[in-house]
Amino acid sequence: MADDDRRGEARPDPDALLALADKDRRGKLTVFLGAAPGVGKTYAMLSRARRLRADGVDLVIGLVETHGRSETAALLDGLELLPRRRVAHRGRMLEEFDLDAALARRPRIVIVDELAHSNPQDSRHPKRYQDIEELIAAGIDVWTALNIQHLESLADLVAQITGVTVRERVPDIVLKRADDVLLVDLSPSELIERLKEGKVYLPESASRAVDRFFRLGNLTALRELALRRTADRVDDQMVDYLKQNAIDGPWATGERLLVCVGSDPLSEKVVRVASRLASGLNAPLLVVSIERADREVETPERLQRIETLFRLAEQLGAETRRIIGNDFVSEILKLARREHVTQIIIGARKPRPWWRFAARSLPDALAREASGLGIYIVTPDSPSPERADRRFEVPAAAALRHSAVTAMGFVALTALIGKAIDAFVQLPNISLLFLLAVLGASVVGGYAAAFLAAILSALAYNFFFIDPRHTFTIAAPHEVFALFVFLAVAIIAGGLASRIREQAKVARIRATALQSLYDFSRKLAGTEKGDDAIWLAVSQLQASLRRKIVLLVPRKGDLDTVAAWPPDTELDVTDMTAARWTHDRREAAGHGTGTLPNSRFEFRPLLGPHGIVGVCGIEHAGDRLDLNAERALTAILDQTAIALDRARLAEETVEQAARLEGERYREALLSSISHDLRTPLATITGAVTGLRQLGERMTAAERDDLLQSIEEESGRMSRFVANLLDMTRIEAGTLKPKQDWVDVADVVQSAVERTRKYAPGRLIETGIAADLPLIRGDSVLIGQVLFNLLDNAAKYGGDEAINVYARRDGKDVLISVTDLGRGIPPEDLDRIFEKFYRRGKPDGRAPGTGLGLSIARGFVEAMGGRIHAESPAVKKRGTRIVMRFPGSDDARGDLS
């Protein structure tokens, strides 16, 4: 029962399920693996293809190399062959695999032989395995063939076994990610016999192959490597199955390897050995390089070697990481504990006898400090290789001359000053002057100058100031002791001063970079538009890297160059193809990468929190970026991506708000139309129906009453449509009011008379000042505004009188309409001028469309006036709408 409970509680591994889901979206890779050429990989692949083709499977031959073997060529009969791409290479025409034709044909399975093949120079990818990765990403299954000696991690081992250096290599990660690995095996003796019979190579090449590569020992060793690697792959598949199905079984051992590398040649061997060890243990691999925090000791050449080493490690399936610290042992062990490392792999050479007493080596220090961890030491092949990861490089000739001149100059100057002082005053501690010389030399020339200055100072002090003078003989024993103490103090002080100098230099470099990034971040934070952020990023990158920079963003379904420096920088077809690849795959492409390396630019994606927002291109200037430039580039691209993503989100927020506002207006308009058109239409329809059916039986008064209703409701509909048209004119900006002289009194009287026709029962009182000046405006629009205000007052003002006043306020003319209804709350006084805003009557109904006051504000502001609402203090109720227009200087204006 307990076992059943445990099985019921078991859950599949989430990472394994995610990996399985990702594989379901991609094509499947099947690798036919062999120990050497001629074992029958291509023959086995084509035999299986013919069986599937007979079953109706959509299978095509992308490329197969028969190498003149007739039995292999015979298997191609009846299979669909894709046409090859013809490429000119060194005066010859080559037939290569056509990747675009395979993508266009899109079969279920495509066979692409020779996985380790290198493509011609103008191809999209430099290696064929990268073509296959693109096919798999497009959902196409791929079959291919590979010999074990072409694996990257085994290249040095194969060269050691066979004496032949394999140049065509495939990263181990390609084989590790394969869905199926089928071992095609043949015993070494049978393979040699096939070679002698001419079934592997042509007769003239077979004899040379037997003498050099196809030896019994070589083939046996290669066969063992192929069997071991296939067994490891089968074990990986078994573990994946157990994880995906939550089955208790033979799980992986749980080993995790940490590899410490530097820029020395031994590190390449360390990485390859570690990769083979990780493959055998089925363990993850972490490759680490340590950088000193207090000094810049890495030259561009060494940084280039580390970059190359990291690319090799990534090809072998390892994770790479850089850490900064002064205590190498402490940093390595801290990382090992954080990453749950079980074994540390490091390279070491046999130390020189005197070095054993000077300092402990890094492997010895790790072995002493690491408790519970395994230390795996890799030694060089030759007995006296280049020193591993040297702390101090031997100065070049020019640097050594500079240090020597600096040291001699300071010591000579100090000796002259000392002789001048000694001529006047006998000082027992004149040696302190030479300490100043050592310190000065260390500050100017570094550690080498400080060391030379310390030696020269000791000699000069002995020669000029210790009796007997002008000889190197020392008579007094205490002078010997003092001289050695002086020499030790000078060397220590000089070393400390040079180290402080290096630290100050490093701090200055990093502070400059940090200040530059801070200024960029501050400027970037102040930008609201994406284009501003793009130009800011381009200028910052160009100033930091001193290279041509282009930045592209997706627009209308394609990449568009929105910024470049210099501005005349143009991208050719290869550059644009690499940029699109970077955008589509979200990985670097172009120069220095595995995709379209012939491009002049290296393109990197700008990945924001919500996806890719652009692509940045950096021109190749003959050398790779150093570590500081790489860090600055990464930081600038990350910040730019965040800024562009923020700008995009801001634009989407504005658009969304506009859509929501438009939706609100649309709903309000539909509500108004449904109410203000349906009511008059119902009245008109009822009146017309009554007149048609009962017109002869109605009295004249009843018919007049119905006709009056039709006339009133038609006028109501006409005003509603007019309001909509006026609102459309205002929003479209087509409203062009006249600028005539207008008599306010005439306009007020006309609007009041018009209102009394529609509301004959309402009392409207007017008060017009006698000294009103003329105003500039459109009398028709002003009359329409007054009518809308009076109409609103009649709807919401209750049964009491409506007051219309016109008076002078300085040079302005004020026209107000006041009702004594319920009034408007203070918080709604500004809202009443919004479109479709309505406040209901006490019975809960909200008459009107809510456009009258909005139209009034548009008309008044178009004529240069202002309008606002206020609650009068009289009786603590009611609403007053006030319009203000600028008046003329003359009391009645100039009517001429």
Side-chain angles (χ1 to χ4, degrees):
M1 185 65 183
D3 293 340
D4 294 339
D5 292 340
R6 282 195 297 269
R7 280 193 293 268
E9 294 174 359
R11 294 292 185 270
D13 185 89
D15 294 333
L17 292 179
L18 288 175
L20 183 62
D22 182 63
K23 282 188 176 182
D24 290 340
R25 293 190 296 267
R26 298 164 55 87
K28 292 179 171 54
L29 175 62
T30 301
V31 178
F32 290 78
L33 181 65
V39 296
K41 303 180 301 299
T42 305
Y43 189 91
M45 187 164 53
L46 292 178
S47 298
R48 188 179 182 187
R50 291 181 66 86
R51 291 194 298 269
L52 290 183
R53 184 65 176 174
D55 293 337
V57 177
D58 184 15
L59 183 147
V60 301
I61 305 297
L63 183 141
V64 164
E65 298 291 352
T66 63
H67 298 289
R69 301 163 192 160
S70 57
E71 64 272 18
T72 303
L75 295 176
L76 292 173
D77 294 339
L79 296 177
E80 179 183 352
L81 276 69
L82 287 178
R84 297 193 183 188
R85 182 170 63 97
R86 296 179 60 83
V87 180
H89 180 69
R90 296 181 181 178
R92 295 188 305 162
M93 293 302 297
L94 303 179
E95 292 187 346
E96 294 290 333
F97 171 61
D98 194 338
L99 174 60
D100 293 325
L103 292 171
R105 171 63 175 79
R106 200 174 181 83
R108 177 181 170 185
I109 300 174
V110 60
I111 294 179
V112 185
D113 204 359
E114 303 286 351
L115 178 63
H117 178 73
S118 295
N119 291 330
Q121 193 171 10
D122 63 342
S123 301
R124 184 152 71 232
H125 305 296
K127 302 290 290 185
R128 183 166 292 168
Y129 74 82
Q130 295 171 320
D131 293 341
I132 291 176
E133 288 178 349
E134 186 171 351
L135 290 171
I136 294 171
I140 302 173
D141 294 351
V142 180
W143 292 3
T144 187
L146 175 71
N147 289 325
I148 193 65
Q149 70 265 24
H150 293 292
L151 283 180
E152 184 69 54
S153 64
L154 301 178
D156 58 338
L157 187 59
V158 170
Q160 183 179 355
I161 293 173
T162 64
V164 178
T165 301
V166 179
R167 303 189 182 279
E168 299 280 6
R169 302 175 185 176
V170 174
D172 290 46
I173 192 66
V174 176
L175 186 63
K176 187 175 182 180
R177 291 175 179 171
D179 297 273
D180 288 309
V181 176
L182 305 179
L183 179 65
V184 182
D185 190 31
L186 191 66
S187 66
S189 58
E190 290 181 280
L191 180 56
I192 293 175
E193 188 64 28
R194 281 175 52 83
L195 182 67
K196 292 178 179 179
E197 294 174 357
K199 295 182 178 180
V200 178
Y201 293 124
L202 296 177
E204 58 270 16
S205 302
S207 59
R208 293 195 302 268
V210 170
D211 294 336
R212 299 189 58 189
F213 187 85
F214 285 82
R215 299 176 182 174
L216 184 61
N218 293 350
L219 296 178
T220 302
L222 293 175
R223 188 186 189 196
E224 180 183 3
L225 291 176
L227 291 171
R228 287 182 178 273
R229 190 52 60 96
T230 306
D232 293 339
R233 184 69 190 97
V234 172
D235 183 65
D236 290 340
Q237 290 176 327
M238 186 62 190
V239 170
D240 291 340
Y241 176 79
L242 295 175
K243 289 181 178 181
Q244 293 160 8
N245 294 274
I247 300 174
D248 293 334
W251 292 85
T253 59
E255 296 282 350
R256 186 171 179 84
L257 308 184
L258 173 67
V259 184
C260 303
V261 299
S263 57
D264 55 291
L266 179 59
S267 292
E268 181 177 350
K269 180 183 178 182
V270 173
V271 171
R272 294 185 184 276
V273 171
S275 176
R276 292 195 293 268
L277 186 61
S279 177
L281 295 174
N282 200 20
L285 188 63
L286 176 62
V287 177
V288 175
S289 172
I290 306 177
E291 176 189 351
R292 293 294 299 265
D294 58 349
R295 63 184 65 180
E296 288 284 344
V297 299
E298 297 294 349
T299 63
E301 294 77 13
R302 297 183 68 186
L303 288 173
Q304 176 66 33
R305 290 202 296 268
I306 291 180
E307 287 293 332
T308 304
L309 195 64
F310 272 18
R311 287 199 298 271
L312 171 63
E314 290 169 355
Q315 288 178 348
L316 298 177
E319 177 187 355
T320 59
R321 193 175 302 178
R322 287 186 174 90
I323 58 176
I324 299 176
N326 293 327
D327 189 345
F328 285 7
V329 176
S330 175
E331 294 296 335
I332 292 173
L333 294 180
K334 188 187 302 180
L335 179 64
R337 286 190 293 267
R338 187 166 62 246
E339 298 294 335
H340 306 289
V341 168
T342 58
Q343 294 190 45
I344 298 176
I345 304 173
I346 190 169
R349 61 181 294 275
K350 184 179 180 180
R352 295 182 174 88
W354 61 269
W355 187 257
R356 294 178 183 272
F357 302 98
R360 287 185 301 170
S361 65
L362 183 57
D364 291 340
L366 283 173
R368 186 183 298 270
E369 300 287 340
S371 58
L373 294 177
I375 307 296
Y376 192 103
I377 299 176
V378 180
T379 57
D381 297 327
S382 58
S384 58
E386 183 180 340
R387 199 154 38 122
D389 200 13
R390 292 173 292 181
R391 182 68 56 86
F392 302 104
E393 292 286 343
V394 177
L400 187 59
R401 285 195 299 269
H402 178 266
S403 299
V405 170
T406 301
M408 288 188 293
F410 273 95
V411 172
L413 180 62
T414 303
L416 290 175
I417 295 174
K419 292 293 289 183
I421 294 175
D422 189 61
F424 297 98
V425 182
Q426 296 291 327
L427 295 177
N429 55 353
I430 201 169
S431 60
L432 295 178
L433 287 175
F434 289 95
L435 284 179
L436 292 178
V438 175
L439 294 177
S442 66
V443 171
V444 175
Y447 183 79
F451 183 80
L452 291 175
I455 300 297
L456 294 175
S457 296
L459 295 175
Y461 177 60
N462 181 14
F463 189 81
F464 291 108
F465 300 101
I466 297 179
D467 294 328
R469 300 193 178 190
H470 304 108
T471 67
F472 291 105
T473 303
I474 302 176
H478 71 276
E479 293 289 354
V480 177
F481 177 75
L483 182 63
F484 278 102
V485 171
F486 166 78
L487 181 61
V489 171
I491 292 176
I492 293 173
L496 291 175
S498 64
R499 185 171 181 179
I500 293 172
R501 171 178 173 268
E502 290 180 358
Q503 291 177 348
K505 179 182 177 182
V506 173
R508 184 170 59 254
I509 294 173
R510 292 178 177 172
T512 301
L514 184 62
Q515 183 64 38
S516 176
L517 290 176
Y518 170 75
D519 294 339
F520 174 70
S521 300
R522 184 169 50 82
K523 294 176 183 178
L524 204 60
T527 60
E528 296 181 356
K529 297 181 179 180
D531 290 344
D532 296 339
I534 288 173
W535 277 106
L536 185 62
V538 168
S539 61
Q540 182 72 21
L541 286 172
Q542 202 280 331
S544 300
L545 306 180
R546 303 296 179 184
R547 305 185 183 203
K548 291 183 179 180
I549 303 294
V550 293
L551 208 152
L552 306 92
V553 298
R555 288 180 178 173
K556 297 180 179 179
D558 196 5
L559 283 178
D560 182 25
T561 303
V562 295
W565 192 265
D568 58 349
T569 302
E570 295 183 358
L571 301 179
D572 57 23
V573 176
T574 304
D575 299 333
M576 286 302 301
T577 303
R580 292 187 182 98
W581 177 276
T582 298
H583 178 267
D584 296 339
R585 301 301 178 89
R586 302 185 181 186
E587 62 184 29
H591 188 87
T593 68
T595 303
L596 296 169
N598 296 326
S599 173
R600 298 173 300 147
F601 291 82
E602 178 186 355
F603 293 93
R604 301 194 183 186
L606 275 67
L607 298 175
H610 300 88
I612 188 167
V613 294
V615 174
C616 180
I618 305 98
E619 184 193 33
H620 173 62
D623 56 343
R624 294 184 61 85
L625 299 175
D626 59 28
L627 189 59
N628 290 325
E630 184 68 31
R631 289 172 177 168
L633 173 62
T634 302
I636 292 173
L637 293 183
D638 289 343
Q639 295 184 52
T640 304
I642 294 175
L644 292 178
D645 193 67
R646 184 183 66 232
R648 180 178 59 83
L649 291 177
E651 293 176 358
E652 291 179 356
T653 301
V654 172
E655 293 176 359
Q656 183 68 16
R659 285 195 295 269
L660 292 176
E661 186 70 10
E663 184 69 19
R664 187 172 68 87
Y665 286 156
R666 186 181 69 86
E667 292 178 357
L669 177 61
L670 291 176
S671 176
S672 298
I673 291 175
S674 64
H675 177 272
D676 292 279
L677 287 182
R678 189 189 311 169
T679 301
L681 281 175
T683 303
I684 294 173
T685 301
V688 171
T689 302
L691 287 173
R692 292 187 62 185
Q693 295 178 356
L694 305 173
E696 297 178 356
R697 287 175 283 176
M698 286 183 179
T699 63
E702 291 174 339
R703 285 196 300 271
D704 289 342
D705 186 53
L706 290 177
L707 291 173
Q708 184 179 359
S709 298
I710 294 173
E711 183 181 5
E712 291 176 354
E713 295 303 328
S714 298
R716 181 180 172 184
M717 289 180 61
S718 177
R719 292 194 303 273
F720 175 74
V721 174
N723 283 341
L724 291 178
L725 294 176
D726 290 339
M727 196 72 250
T728 302
R729 291 167 59 199
I730 293 172
E731 290 187 341
T734 59
L735 179 65
K736 303 296 182 183
K738 298 178 181 178
Q739 293 296 323
D740 298 331
W741 289 111
V742 177
D743 189 338
V744 174
D746 293 342
V747 175
V748 171
Q749 292 295 341
S750 175
V752 170
E753 292 298 328
R754 180 183 173 191
T755 305
R756 284 172 176 163
K757 293 181 180 179
Y758 291 99
R762 294 304 302 270
L763 176 61
I764 302 176
E765 298 178 352
T766 61
I768 301 174
D771 60 345
L772 283 182
L774 301 177
I775 62 174
R776 283 283 189 181
D778 191 322
S779 59
V780 176
L781 295 185
I782 297 175
Q784 181 66 31
V785 171
L786 279 173
F787 177 76
N788 286 346
L789 297 180
L790 291 170
D791 184 53
N792 268 7
K795 294 175 182 175
Y796 297 100
D799 297 329
E800 299 189 41
I802 300 172
N803 299 315
V804 181
Y805 295 107
R807 63 184 179 86
R808 185 167 185 169
D809 184 15
K811 293 184 178 181
D812 295 340
V813 174
L814 270 62
I815 306 172
S816 63
V817 177
T818 306
D819 66 70
L820 297 177
R822 290 190 303 133
I824 300 173
E827 62 271 14
D828 290 342
L829 287 176
D830 292 331
R831 291 192 61 199
I832 63 173
F833 292 99
E834 296 178 4
K835 291 183 295 184
F836 304 113
Y837 177 78
R838 297 180 295 176
R839 298 189 69 249
K841 286 185 175 182
D843 59 6
R845 292 183 295 106
T849 62
L851 291 175
L853 291 180
S854 181
I855 293 171
R857 181 178 63 180
F859 284 174
V860 171
E861 291 177 353
M863 291 182 288
R866 288 172 293 170
I867 185 171
H868 69 277
E870 57 187 35
S871 295
V874 180
K875 297 184 180 180
K876 302 294 184 181
R877 61 192 180 93
T879 302
R880 177 181 295 132
I881 307 296
V882 181
M883 294 181 291
R884 180 185 293 270
F885 294 95
S888 63
D889 294 334
D890 187 5
R892 296 301 298 169
D894 185 6
L895 297 178
S896 62

